[in-house]
Each structure stands twice: as C-alpha cells, then as structure tokens.
C-alpha cells in the first residue's frame, strides 16, 4: 500500500481518501488505517471496532490475527479500553496492561498472552455521533510519544469522516444499513482468507497479505478480490468456485 516506511504519514491519509473516491468499501478504508497505525507509530498492532445503530460494537478491521483475537475478547467479555473509549468518548491510555488486570481481567489476560504490554484507545466520532474506537497495541510497557498520540487522534478523526462519506456515497440511509453491508463483507473476506490459507499452506495473516496483493493487482477492493476465492451457490442447489 505504501512505498516504504520512511515516507511521510501523509501517505496514509491520501490512501484513505483514495478508498472513498474510488468507491471502495468501509472495510478497505479501515484496513488502510490499521496498516498506517503500525507503520507510522510505535504500535505493533491496531484494531478498529465500529458500532451499529443498536450500540453494539463489531470488529471492522485488525492488522493481525492476534489483534483480532484481543478485539473479539473485548466484545465477548464486554470489557476493555476500546469499549471504554467508545462509551466515554475519551481516549484511554494504558501504559501497562498488567496494571489493568483488576479493571479488565479477560481483556488483560488475552492481550498479555498475545504479546501486548500497553494499549492506546481513541474514540471515533462524527460530530456528536459515536462511531467506534481505534486501538493501538504496543510490545513494551509505556505510553505513545506525543507525536504518535496526536497521529492516532488524527487518524481516528479522519477515519470517522470517511465512514460518513462512505455512507452517503453508497446510499446507505442509516448506520444499520451500512453496518449490515460491512459485516457481510467481513464474513466474505474471512472466508477468502481461509481458502487462501488452506490452498497455500500459510497462516491467516499471510493469507490476508495475499488477498491484499490480489486486490491491488485487480485495482479493486478487498470484497471484490475475496469473491474470486469463495464458493457461491447458484442455480438448482449447485455451487461455483470463483477463482
């Protein structure tokens, strides 16, 4: 997605804007965002939760399977800094996850098991509307630098604006409609990752990299690339493999 790590993080915002202008989906925008977080800050992983109109949060993107596991655990246990950032509308900074075991026991246990030692959670808002939260995970205890924290805030704000732009461009009248499409896309992408992982005998993270590469080759979004690898029903109960 980006030419090299030394380039200005402005590239991230250009890439996010491009996903909107070219008609790609929310899930593509969020994927660019989490990649940018790990490329231009001290975070080794990042994840995004977005809320539906019933205030239920869902994993929209993650930079790795490890990060996805932690995000899913937060949702299952109804606890964690990302949920608190969403609910309070305030940034939650956890410089040492070990110190948060009493506050978020389930989250802390899986985060530490996955190799994360600190986390920085930023709420995502569009005006007064709460949309979700962005999580940045660190490999060692400590806070993000002032520059990295400001960049995380800017990314969350820019991503929130992009979510609203996607909703308008794609004609979704409500957040519920938008979330329904996004969740369907995520299921399709997960299925494609599984097919690629089995086909090439690679871990899921690497399979996602293959899917991203295919999307770039096709000059399309992750959803359209995923449809190449997923079994689809058609006519008289038959199935067709698009590949």
């Amino acid at each position: 997605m980006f030419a090299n790590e030394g380039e200005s993080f402005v590239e991230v915002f250009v890439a996010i804007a491009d996903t909107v202008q070219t008609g790609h989906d929310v899930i593509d925008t969020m994927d660019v965002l989490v990649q940018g977080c790990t490329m231009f800050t001290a975070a080794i992983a990042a994840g995004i939760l977005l809320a539906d109109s019933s205030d239920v949060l869902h994993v929209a993107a993650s930079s790795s399977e490890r990060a996805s596991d932690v995000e899913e655990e937060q949702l299952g246990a109804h606890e964690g800094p990302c949920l608190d950032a969403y609910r309070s509308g305030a940034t939650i900074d956890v410089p040492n996850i070990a110190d948060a075991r009493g506050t978020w026991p389930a989250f802390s246990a899986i985060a530490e098991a996955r190799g994360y030692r600190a986390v920085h959670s930023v709420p995502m808002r569009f005006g007064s509307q709460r949309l979700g939260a962005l999580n940045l995970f660190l490999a060692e205890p400590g806070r993000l630098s002032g520059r990295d924290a400001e960049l995380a805030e800017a990314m969350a704000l820019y991503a929130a604006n992009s979510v609203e732009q996607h909703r308008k461009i794609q004609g979704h009248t409500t957040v519920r409609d938008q979330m329904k499409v996004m969740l369907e896309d995520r299921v399709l992408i997960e299925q494609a990752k599984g097919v690629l992982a089995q086909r090439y005998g690679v871990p899921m993270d690497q399979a996602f990299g293959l899917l991203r590469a295919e999307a770039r080759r096709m000059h399309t979004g992750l959803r359209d690339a995923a449809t190449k690898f997923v079994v689809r029903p058609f006519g008289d109960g038959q199935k067709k493999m698009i590949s």
Side-chain angles (χ1 to χ4, degrees):
M1 180 63 69
F2 311 108
N4 63 70
E5 294 189 14
E7 290 187 350
S8 169
F9 58 74
V10 171
E11 298 261 327
V12 180
F13 299 110
V14 172
I16 291 173
D18 184 61
T19 63
V20 177
Q21 294 168 1
T22 56
H24 288 177
D25 302 302
V26 171
I27 208 159
D28 293 290
T29 299
M30 299 301 104
D31 184 58
V32 171
L33 177 64
V34 294
Q35 289 184 70
C37 285
T38 60
M39 186 170 291
F40 296 110
T41 76
I44 62 169
I48 292 173
L49 302 181
L50 291 179
D52 62 23
S53 57
S54 300
D55 238 16
V56 177
L57 289 164
H58 306 270
V59 177
S62 60
S63 62
S64 68
E65 293 300 310
R66 286 194 300 159
S68 183
D69 287 346
V70 177
E71 299 288 27
E72 293 289 359
E73 181 65 29
Q74 287 194 80
L75 297 179
H78 304 289
E79 66 168 54
C82 204
L83 276 75
D84 282 8
Y86 169 71
R87 292 164 180 159
S88 68
T91 295
I92 305 294
D93 191 43
V94 187
N96 193 336
I97 290 175
D99 294 337
R101 292 171 184 164
T103 306
W104 307 303
F107 164 80
S108 298
I110 192 167
E112 290 184 285
R114 295 297 185 270
Y116 304 132
R117 299 294 177 261
V119 61
H120 187 86
S121 300
V122 184
M124 290 174 55
R125 298 181 296 269
F126 182 77
S128 61
Q129 183 180 15
R130 297 178 302 163
L131 297 180
L134 166 66
N135 258 0
L136 280 70
F137 299 97
L138 285 73
E140 300 295 337
R143 300 181 187 277
L144 288 178
S145 68
R147 177 263 188 194
D148 283 2
E150 289 179 2
L151 179 56
E153 296 279 350
M155 284 184 167
L157 176 60
Y158 198 84
N161 289 330
S162 298
V163 168
E164 180 63 15
Q165 289 178 47
H166 273 294
R167 186 185 68 77
K168 292 179 179 177
I169 291 171
Q170 296 174 359
H172 300 307
T173 56
T174 66
V175 174
R176 184 187 297 275
D177 292 337
Q178 186 178 31
M179 284 298 302
K180 181 176 182 294
V181 172
M182 189 206 76
L183 292 173
E184 290 172 351
D185 289 349
R186 181 171 167 80
V187 169
L188 179 65
I189 288 167
E190 290 299 317
Q191 290 174 337
K193 284 164 57 179
V195 170
L196 288 166
Q198 184 177 35
R199 180 179 297 181
Y200 296 105
V202 298
M204 290 291 278
D205 281 336
Q206 191 172 340
F208 197 17
L210 294 173
L211 185 61
R212 286 192 184 111
E214 182 64 9
R216 288 195 297 271
R217 188 190 68 80
M218 294 171 60
H219 302 290
T220 190
L222 290 168
R223 179 188 60 187
D224 290 339
T227 60
K228 290 188 59 179
F229 305 103
V230 176
V231 174
R232 294 292 205 179
F234 77 105
D236 300 326
Q238 294 177 303
K239 292 185 177 180
K240 178 182 180 181
M241 172 67 80
I242 305 174
S243 61

